[in-house]
Amino acid sequence: NVEVVLLTHVAYNTFEFAKSMIEYTSITTNAKFDLLSRDNPFELKRVRLCHTYEEVEETPGPKLVLASSEAMDVGFSRTVFEKICASPLNAVFFTSDPPPNSLAARVLHLARTSTGVGVGVSRRLKVARARRVPLEGAELYEWKDAQRRAKDAARRESEARNRADEPMRGEDADA
């Protein structure tokens, strides 16, 4: 058995909302819900909803992971791809054509042009990995200083606008 996992930040909320909207489904679906077993079609009994990749890793055994972002440039699909791509036992399935110039498009192109290549033959794809690095030392000081200067400039601009909106001293406000 293979566990089916849906990995997205809004997995639980999406399906809870869908379950509550059963009356807006097709007549056929609605009739099955009303007359037969009262099973909600959005009650996914064989799909595990996950909000973090760590939850996926905690799922034992083989699994099929459905991850969001069809481009695989960011998000969970990128994370899953980075974790599984090294093993020839893993596979990537695309449910639609990916956007041009995306990581997914490059992977799909590599797969399509590699037909006839034997199993175990290395197919390599260079992938840039962007990671956040905390600022330290002089860089951190410069960033904080720039933030302070921007905040001061915004405050001075706001004060100047407020002064311009006030009536001139000595003028009668009612005149």
Side-chain angles (χ1 to χ4, degrees):
N1 283 339
V2 175
E3 185 83 25
V4 177
V5 177
L6 176 62
L7 177 61
T8 176
H9 292 290
V10 293
Y12 178 79
N13 294 352
T14 300
F15 284 94
E16 283 302 308
F17 183 72
K19 284 186 232 175
S20 71
M21 304 300 279
I22 192 73
E23 64 269 13
Y24 298 105
T25 59
S26 71
I27 295 170
T28 307
T29 303
N30 209 340
K32 286 181 184 177
F33 175 73
D34 287 339
L35 300 176
L36 298 175
S37 63
R38 307 273 311 160
D39 283 339
N40 192 309
F42 298 105
E43 189 73 46
L44 305 176
K45 294 179 178 123
R46 292 182 179 84
V47 176
R48 180 170 182 204
L49 304 178
C50 294
H51 296 95
T52 65
Y53 188 75
E54 289 73 27
E55 291 178 50
V56 173
E57 288 180 322
E58 292 169 2
T59 305
K63 54 193 113 348
L64 168 65
V65 181
L66 307 171
S68 55
S69 181
E70 67 181 4
M72 289 188 348
D73 288 330
V74 296
F76 286 132
S77 62
R78 174 68 175 250
T79 302
V80 171
F81 180 73
E82 287 177 359
K83 301 280 186 182
I84 70 164
C85 69
S87 172
L89 297 175
N90 296 320
V92 177
F93 294 91
F94 294 98
T95 58
S96 63
D97 283 334
N101 303 320
S102 64
L103 173 59
R106 292 172 46 212
V107 169
L108 192 57
H109 175 73
L110 181 65
R112 286 178 175 160
T113 58
S114 298
T115 55
V117 174
V119 174
V121 173
S122 177
R123 289 178 249 167
R124 298 202 182 264
L125 181 66
K126 285 192 176 196
V127 178
R129 296 173 88 186
R131 299 284 182 242
R132 287 181 181 236
V133 178
L135 295 176
E136 296 176 338
E139 286 180 325
L140 178 59
Y141 176 77
E142 288 175 26
W143 180 81
K144 284 183 175 181
D145 191 46
Q147 294 294 310
R148 182 187 51 76
R149 285 193 311 267
K151 191 174 184 180
D152 289 346
R155 181 183 44 79
R156 285 192 301 273
E157 185 180 309
S158 175
E159 288 171 355
R161 259 188 272 120
N162 289 341
R163 279 193 302 273
D165 290 343
E166 291 176 3
M168 296 281 207
R169 289 185 192 251
E171 286 185 12
D172 188 5
D174 294 331

Short mmCIF file of all heavy atoms in Angstrom, two decimals, residues 120-170:
data_model
loop_
_atom_site.label_atom_id
_atom_site.label_comp_id
_atom_site.label_asym_id
_atom_site.label_seq_id
_atom_site.Cartn_x
_atom_site.Cartn_y
_atom_site.Cartn_z
N GLY A 120 19.62 3.71 -14.90
CA GLY A 120 20.89 3.85 -14.19
C GLY A 120 21.84 4.83 -14.84
O GLY A 120 22.87 5.15 -14.28
N VAL A 121 21.52 5.30 -16.04
CA VAL A 121 22.36 6.29 -16.70
C VAL A 121 22.05 7.64 -16.04
O VAL A 121 20.90 8.02 -15.87
CB VAL A 121 22.08 6.36 -18.22
CG1 VAL A 121 22.84 7.50 -18.84
CG2 VAL A 121 22.45 5.04 -18.87
N SER A 122 23.11 8.32 -15.67
CA SER A 122 22.95 9.57 -14.94
C SER A 122 22.40 10.67 -15.84
O SER A 122 22.90 10.89 -16.93
CB SER A 122 24.30 9.98 -14.37
OG SER A 122 24.18 11.21 -13.71
N ARG A 123 21.39 11.32 -15.37
CA ARG A 123 20.87 12.52 -16.02
C ARG A 123 20.98 13.63 -14.99
O ARG A 123 20.39 13.56 -13.93
CB ARG A 123 19.40 12.33 -16.42
CG ARG A 123 19.26 11.35 -17.57
CD ARG A 123 17.82 11.15 -17.89
NE ARG A 123 17.51 9.79 -17.48
CZ ARG A 123 16.31 9.30 -17.37
NH1 ARG A 123 15.28 10.03 -17.60
NH2 ARG A 123 16.12 8.06 -17.01
N ARG A 124 21.75 14.64 -15.30
CA ARG A 124 22.01 15.70 -14.32
C ARG A 124 21.39 17.02 -14.79
O ARG A 124 21.36 17.31 -15.96
CB ARG A 124 23.49 15.88 -14.11
CG ARG A 124 24.13 14.63 -13.55
CD ARG A 124 25.42 14.94 -12.84
NE ARG A 124 26.00 13.71 -12.36
CZ ARG A 124 25.85 13.26 -11.13
NH1 ARG A 124 25.13 13.93 -10.28
NH2 ARG A 124 26.42 12.13 -10.76
N LEU A 125 20.94 17.75 -13.80
CA LEU A 125 20.32 19.05 -14.04
C LEU A 125 20.84 19.99 -12.97
O LEU A 125 20.72 19.70 -11.78
CB LEU A 125 18.79 18.90 -13.93
CG LEU A 125 17.94 20.12 -14.16
CD1 LEU A 125 18.06 20.57 -15.62
CD2 LEU A 125 16.49 19.81 -13.85
N LYS A 126 21.46 21.09 -13.39
CA LYS A 126 21.95 22.06 -12.41
C LYS A 126 20.77 22.89 -11.92
O LYS A 126 20.01 23.43 -12.71
CB LYS A 126 23.00 22.98 -13.02
CG LYS A 126 24.33 22.29 -13.20
CD LYS A 126 25.39 23.30 -13.54
CE LYS A 126 26.71 22.57 -13.62
NZ LYS A 126 27.83 23.48 -13.59
N VAL A 127 20.67 22.98 -10.61
CA VAL A 127 19.57 23.72 -9.99
C VAL A 127 20.15 24.69 -8.97
O VAL A 127 20.90 24.28 -8.08
CB VAL A 127 18.59 22.75 -9.27
CG1 VAL A 127 17.48 23.51 -8.59
CG2 VAL A 127 18.02 21.75 -10.26
N ALA A 128 19.83 25.95 -9.13
CA ALA A 128 20.27 26.96 -8.16
C ALA A 128 19.40 26.85 -6.91
O ALA A 128 18.18 26.73 -7.01
CB ALA A 128 20.17 28.35 -8.76
N ARG A 129 20.04 26.89 -5.77
CA ARG A 129 19.32 26.80 -4.50
C ARG A 129 19.49 28.11 -3.75
O ARG A 129 20.58 28.42 -3.29
CB ARG A 129 19.84 25.65 -3.66
CG ARG A 129 19.62 24.31 -4.30
CD ARG A 129 20.29 23.24 -3.52
NE ARG A 129 19.39 22.76 -2.49
CZ ARG A 129 19.74 21.90 -1.57
NH1 ARG A 129 20.96 21.44 -1.52
NH2 ARG A 129 18.86 21.49 -0.67
N ALA A 130 18.45 28.87 -3.64
CA ALA A 130 18.50 30.12 -2.91
C ALA A 130 18.07 29.85 -1.46
O ALA A 130 17.08 29.17 -1.22
CB ALA A 130 17.56 31.14 -3.54
N ARG A 131 18.86 30.33 -0.54
CA ARG A 131 18.57 30.16 0.88
C ARG A 131 18.73 31.49 1.58
O ARG A 131 19.59 32.30 1.23
CB ARG A 131 19.52 29.14 1.52
CG ARG A 131 19.44 27.77 0.94
CD ARG A 131 18.19 27.07 1.42
NE ARG A 131 18.14 25.72 0.90
CZ ARG A 131 17.21 25.26 0.10
NH1 ARG A 131 16.23 26.04 -0.29
NH2 ARG A 131 17.22 24.02 -0.32
N ARG A 132 17.92 31.72 2.59
CA ARG A 132 18.06 32.92 3.39
C ARG A 132 19.25 32.76 4.32
O ARG A 132 19.39 31.74 4.99
CB ARG A 132 16.81 33.17 4.23
CG ARG A 132 15.65 33.64 3.42
CD ARG A 132 14.46 33.87 4.32
NE ARG A 132 13.34 34.29 3.53
CZ ARG A 132 12.68 35.40 3.74
NH1 ARG A 132 12.98 36.18 4.75
NH2 ARG A 132 11.68 35.73 2.97
N VAL A 133 20.07 33.79 4.37
CA VAL A 133 21.22 33.80 5.25
C VAL A 133 21.08 35.03 6.14
O VAL A 133 20.95 36.15 5.64
CB VAL A 133 22.54 33.88 4.45
CG1 VAL A 133 23.73 33.94 5.37
CG2 VAL A 133 22.64 32.70 3.50
N PRO A 134 21.10 34.84 7.46
CA PRO A 134 20.95 35.99 8.35
C PRO A 134 22.10 36.99 8.18
O PRO A 134 23.25 36.58 8.01
CB PRO A 134 20.98 35.38 9.75
CG PRO A 134 20.91 33.92 9.59
CD PRO A 134 21.24 33.59 8.18
N LEU A 135 21.76 38.26 8.20
CA LEU A 135 22.79 39.29 8.12
C LEU A 135 23.58 39.32 9.42
O LEU A 135 23.03 39.09 10.50
CB LEU A 135 22.15 40.65 7.88
CG LEU A 135 21.42 40.84 6.56
CD1 LEU A 135 20.76 42.21 6.51
CD2 LEU A 135 22.36 40.67 5.39
N GLU A 136 24.86 39.63 9.30
CA GLU A 136 25.73 39.71 10.48
C GLU A 136 26.66 40.89 10.32
O GLU A 136 26.93 41.35 9.21
CB GLU A 136 26.56 38.43 10.62
CG GLU A 136 25.76 37.18 10.88
CD GLU A 136 26.64 35.93 10.91
OE1 GLU A 136 27.76 35.97 10.34
OE2 GLU A 136 26.20 34.93 11.50
N GLY A 137 27.16 41.36 11.44
CA GLY A 137 28.21 42.38 11.44
C GLY A 137 27.84 43.65 10.69
O GLY A 137 26.77 44.23 10.91
N ALA A 138 28.73 44.07 9.79
CA ALA A 138 28.58 45.34 9.07
C ALA A 138 27.31 45.33 8.19
O ALA A 138 26.62 46.34 8.08
CB ALA A 138 29.81 45.62 8.22
N GLU A 139 27.01 44.17 7.57
CA GLU A 139 25.81 44.09 6.72
C GLU A 139 24.54 44.33 7.55
O GLU A 139 23.64 45.05 7.13
CB GLU A 139 25.72 42.72 6.04
CG GLU A 139 26.69 42.52 4.91
CD GLU A 139 26.54 41.15 4.29
OE1 GLU A 139 26.25 40.17 5.02
OE2 GLU A 139 26.70 41.06 3.06
N LEU A 140 24.49 43.73 8.73
CA LEU A 140 23.33 43.90 9.61
C LEU A 140 23.22 45.35 10.06
O LEU A 140 22.14 45.93 10.04
CB LEU A 140 23.43 42.97 10.82
CG LEU A 140 22.31 43.07 11.84
CD1 LEU A 140 20.96 42.75 11.19
CD2 LEU A 140 22.57 42.12 13.02
N TYR A 141 24.35 45.97 10.41
CA TYR A 141 24.36 47.37 10.82
C TYR A 141 23.86 48.27 9.69
O TYR A 141 23.03 49.15 9.90
CB TYR A 141 25.75 47.80 11.28
CG TYR A 141 25.82 49.26 11.62
CD1 TYR A 141 25.32 49.73 12.82
CD2 TYR A 141 26.35 50.17 10.72
CE1 TYR A 141 25.36 51.08 13.13
CE2 TYR A 141 26.39 51.52 11.00
CZ TYR A 141 25.89 51.97 12.22
OH TYR A 141 25.91 53.32 12.50
N GLU A 142 24.36 48.04 8.46
CA GLU A 142 23.95 48.84 7.31
C GLU A 142 22.45 48.70 7.05
O GLU A 142 21.77 49.68 6.76
CB GLU A 142 24.73 48.43 6.06
CG GLU A 142 26.17 48.84 6.06
CD GLU A 142 26.92 48.30 4.85
OE1 GLU A 142 26.28 48.04 3.81
OE2 GLU A 142 28.15 48.13 4.96
N TRP A 143 21.94 47.48 7.14
CA TRP A 143 20.51 47.26 6.90
C TRP A 143 19.67 47.98 7.95
O TRP A 143 18.69 48.65 7.62
CB TRP A 143 20.21 45.75 6.92
CG TRP A 143 18.76 45.46 6.66
CD1 TRP A 143 18.13 45.42 5.46
CD2 TRP A 143 17.76 45.20 7.65
NE1 TRP A 143 16.80 45.14 5.63
CE2 TRP A 143 16.54 45.00 6.97
CE3 TRP A 143 17.77 45.12 9.04
CZ2 TRP A 143 15.36 44.72 7.63
CZ3 TRP A 143 16.59 44.85 9.70
CH2 TRP A 143 15.40 44.64 8.99
N LYS A 144 20.05 47.84 9.23
CA LYS A 144 19.30 48.52 10.31
C LYS A 144 19.37 50.03 10.14
O LYS A 144 18.37 50.72 10.36
CB LYS A 144 19.85 48.11 11.68
CG LYS A 144 19.42 46.73 12.10
CD LYS A 144 19.93 46.40 13.50
CE LYS A 144 19.42 45.06 13.97
NZ LYS A 144 19.89 44.74 15.33
N ASP A 145 20.53 50.54 9.75
CA ASP A 145 20.68 51.98 9.54
C ASP A 145 19.79 52.45 8.39
O ASP A 145 19.13 53.50 8.49
CB ASP A 145 22.16 52.31 9.27
CG ASP A 145 22.43 53.80 9.31
OD1 ASP A 145 21.94 54.46 10.26
OD2 ASP A 145 23.11 54.30 8.39
N ALA A 146 19.75 51.70 7.31
CA ALA A 146 18.89 52.05 6.17
C ALA A 146 17.42 52.02 6.58
O ALA A 146 16.64 52.89 6.18
CB ALA A 146 19.14 51.09 5.00
N GLN A 147 17.03 51.04 7.38
CA GLN A 147 15.64 50.96 7.86
C GLN A 147 15.31 52.18 8.73
O GLN A 147 14.24 52.77 8.60
CB GLN A 147 15.43 49.68 8.68
CG GLN A 147 15.54 48.40 7.88
CD GLN A 147 14.43 48.29 6.86
OE1 GLN A 147 13.27 48.45 7.18
NE2 GLN A 147 14.79 48.02 5.62
N ARG A 148 16.24 52.56 9.61
CA ARG A 148 16.02 53.71 10.48
C ARG A 148 15.90 54.99 9.66
O ARG A 148 15.00 55.80 9.90
CB ARG A 148 17.18 53.83 11.49
CG ARG A 148 17.01 54.99 12.48
CD ARG A 148 18.25 55.20 13.34
NE ARG A 148 19.49 55.30 12.59
CZ ARG A 148 19.87 56.38 11.89
NH1 ARG A 148 19.09 57.43 11.82
NH2 ARG A 148 21.01 56.39 11.24
N ARG A 149 16.78 55.15 8.65
CA ARG A 149 16.72 56.35 7.81
C ARG A 149 15.40 56.42 7.04
O ARG A 149 14.79 57.48 6.92
CB ARG A 149 17.90 56.38 6.84
CG ARG A 149 19.21 56.75 7.50
CD ARG A 149 20.30 57.09 6.48
NE ARG A 149 20.44 56.10 5.42
CZ ARG A 149 21.29 55.07 5.44
NH1 ARG A 149 22.09 54.91 6.47
NH2 ARG A 149 21.34 54.22 4.44
N ALA A 150 14.94 55.29 6.52
CA ALA A 150 13.67 55.26 5.78
C ALA A 150 12.51 55.61 6.71
O ALA A 150 11.60 56.35 6.32
CB ALA A 150 13.47 53.88 5.16
N LYS A 151 12.53 55.09 7.93
CA LYS A 151 11.46 55.37 8.89
C LYS A 151 11.47 56.86 9.27
O LYS A 151 10.41 57.49 9.34
CB LYS A 151 11.67 54.51 10.13
CG LYS A 151 10.53 54.50 11.09
CD LYS A 151 10.80 53.50 12.21
CE LYS A 151 9.64 53.38 13.15
NZ LYS A 151 9.90 52.42 14.22
N ASP A 152 12.66 57.43 9.48
CA ASP A 152 12.77 58.86 9.79
C ASP A 152 12.27 59.71 8.63
O ASP A 152 11.57 60.71 8.83
CB ASP A 152 14.22 59.23 10.13
CG ASP A 152 14.67 58.68 11.49
OD1 ASP A 152 13.79 58.24 12.26
OD2 ASP A 152 15.90 58.66 11.73
N ALA A 153 12.62 59.36 7.41
CA ALA A 153 12.18 60.12 6.24
C ALA A 153 10.66 60.06 6.11
O ALA A 153 10.02 61.08 5.81
CB ALA A 153 12.85 59.57 4.98
N ALA A 154 10.07 58.90 6.35
CA ALA A 154 8.61 58.76 6.27
C ALA A 154 7.94 59.60 7.35
O ALA A 154 6.91 60.25 7.10
CB ALA A 154 8.21 57.30 6.41
N ARG A 155 8.53 59.63 8.56
CA ARG A 155 7.97 60.44 9.65
C ARG A 155 8.05 61.93 9.31
O ARG A 155 7.07 62.67 9.47
CB ARG A 155 8.72 60.15 10.95
CG ARG A 155 8.19 60.94 12.15
CD ARG A 155 8.99 60.71 13.42
NE ARG A 155 10.43 60.74 13.25
CZ ARG A 155 11.17 61.85 13.13
NH1 ARG A 155 10.60 63.03 13.14
NH2 ARG A 155 12.48 61.77 12.99
N ARG A 156 9.21 62.38 8.78
CA ARG A 156 9.35 63.80 8.40
C ARG A 156 8.36 64.18 7.30
O ARG A 156 7.76 65.25 7.33
CB ARG A 156 10.79 64.08 7.95
CG ARG A 156 11.78 64.15 9.10
CD ARG A 156 13.12 64.70 8.65
NE ARG A 156 13.75 63.92 7.60
CZ ARG A 156 14.53 62.86 7.79
NH1 ARG A 156 14.78 62.44 9.01
NH2 ARG A 156 15.06 62.23 6.77
N GLU A 157 8.18 63.28 6.33
CA GLU A 157 7.23 63.55 5.24
C GLU A 157 5.81 63.65 5.78
O GLU A 157 5.04 64.53 5.39
CB GLU A 157 7.32 62.43 4.20
CG GLU A 157 6.47 62.66 2.98
CD GLU A 157 6.61 61.52 1.98
OE1 GLU A 157 7.75 61.17 1.64
OE2 GLU A 157 5.56 61.02 1.55
N SER A 158 5.45 62.79 6.70
CA SER A 158 4.11 62.80 7.30
C SER A 158 3.89 64.09 8.09
O SER A 158 2.83 64.71 8.01
CB SER A 158 3.93 61.58 8.21
OG SER A 158 2.71 61.63 8.87
N GLU A 159 4.92 64.49 8.84
CA GLU A 159 4.81 65.74 9.61
C GLU A 159 4.68 66.94 8.68
O GLU A 159 3.89 67.85 8.95
CB GLU A 159 6.04 65.91 10.51
CG GLU A 159 6.06 64.95 11.68
CD GLU A 159 7.37 64.98 12.45
OE1 GLU A 159 8.33 65.70 12.02
OE2 GLU A 159 7.46 64.29 13.48
N ALA A 160 5.39 66.95 7.57
CA ALA A 160 5.31 68.05 6.61
C ALA A 160 3.92 68.11 6.00
O ALA A 160 3.36 69.20 5.83
CB ALA A 160 6.37 67.88 5.52
N ARG A 161 3.34 66.94 5.68
CA ARG A 161 1.98 66.92 5.13
C ARG A 161 0.97 67.45 6.16
O ARG A 161 0.07 68.21 5.81
CB ARG A 161 1.59 65.49 4.73
CG ARG A 161 1.70 65.25 3.25
CD ARG A 161 1.14 63.92 2.82
NE ARG A 161 2.20 62.91 2.93
CZ ARG A 161 2.18 61.83 3.69
NH1 ARG A 161 1.13 61.55 4.39
NH2 ARG A 161 3.20 61.00 3.73
N ASN A 162 1.14 67.05 7.41
CA ASN A 162 0.23 67.52 8.46
C ASN A 162 0.32 69.03 8.65
O ASN A 162 -0.69 69.69 8.85
CB ASN A 162 0.52 66.80 9.79
CG ASN A 162 0.10 65.35 9.73
OD1 ASN A 162 -0.70 64.94 8.90
ND2 ASN A 162 0.65 64.54 10.63
N ARG A 163 1.55 69.57 8.59
CA ARG A 163 1.72 71.03 8.73
C ARG A 163 1.08 71.76 7.55
O ARG A 163 0.49 72.81 7.71
CB ARG A 163 3.20 71.39 8.82
CG ARG A 163 3.78 71.19 10.21
CD ARG A 163 5.15 71.85 10.33
NE ARG A 163 6.12 71.37 9.37
CZ ARG A 163 6.90 70.29 9.53
NH1 ARG A 163 6.80 69.59 10.63
NH2 ARG A 163 7.76 69.94 8.60
N ALA A 164 1.18 71.20 6.37
CA ALA A 164 0.61 71.84 5.18
C ALA A 164 -0.91 71.83 5.24
O ALA A 164 -1.56 72.73 4.70
CB ALA A 164 1.09 71.12 3.92
N ASP A 165 -1.48 70.84 5.91
CA ASP A 165 -2.94 70.75 6.01
C ASP A 165 -3.52 71.66 7.08
O ASP A 165 -4.70 71.97 7.08
CB ASP A 165 -3.37 69.31 6.31
CG ASP A 165 -3.13 68.39 5.12
OD1 ASP A 165 -2.96 68.92 4.00
OD2 ASP A 165 -3.12 67.16 5.31
N GLU A 166 -2.69 72.12 8.03
CA GLU A 166 -3.17 72.99 9.11
C GLU A 166 -3.39 74.40 8.56
O GLU A 166 -2.65 74.86 7.69
CB GLU A 166 -2.14 73.06 10.25
CG GLU A 166 -2.02 71.76 11.01
CD GLU A 166 -0.92 71.84 12.07
OE1 GLU A 166 -0.30 72.92 12.24
OE2 GLU A 166 -0.69 70.82 12.72
N PRO A 167 -4.40 75.13 9.09
CA PRO A 167 -4.59 76.52 8.63
C PRO A 167 -3.42 77.39 9.09
O PRO A 167 -2.79 77.11 10.10
CB PRO A 167 -5.90 76.95 9.30
CG PRO A 167 -6.22 75.91 10.31
CD PRO A 167 -5.40 74.70 10.03
N MET A 168 -3.10 78.42 8.29
CA MET A 168 -2.00 79.33 8.63
C MET A 168 -2.30 80.03 9.94
O MET A 168 -3.43 80.36 10.23
CB MET A 168 -1.81 80.37 7.53
CG MET A 168 -1.40 79.80 6.22
SD MET A 168 0.34 79.48 6.36
CE MET A 168 0.78 79.60 4.67
N ARG A 169 -1.23 80.28 10.74
CA ARG A 169 -1.41 80.99 12.01
C ARG A 169 -1.89 82.40 11.70
O ARG A 169 -1.45 83.04 10.76
CB ARG A 169 -0.10 81.07 12.75
CG ARG A 169 0.31 79.72 13.31
CD ARG A 169 1.57 79.91 14.14
NE ARG A 169 2.13 78.62 14.43
CZ ARG A 169 2.12 78.07 15.64
NH1 ARG A 169 1.58 78.72 16.64
NH2 ARG A 169 2.66 76.91 15.83
N GLY A 170 -2.77 82.88 12.53
CA GLY A 170 -3.27 84.23 12.36
C GLY A 170 -4.45 84.31 11.42
O GLY A 170 -5.16 85.29 11.39
#
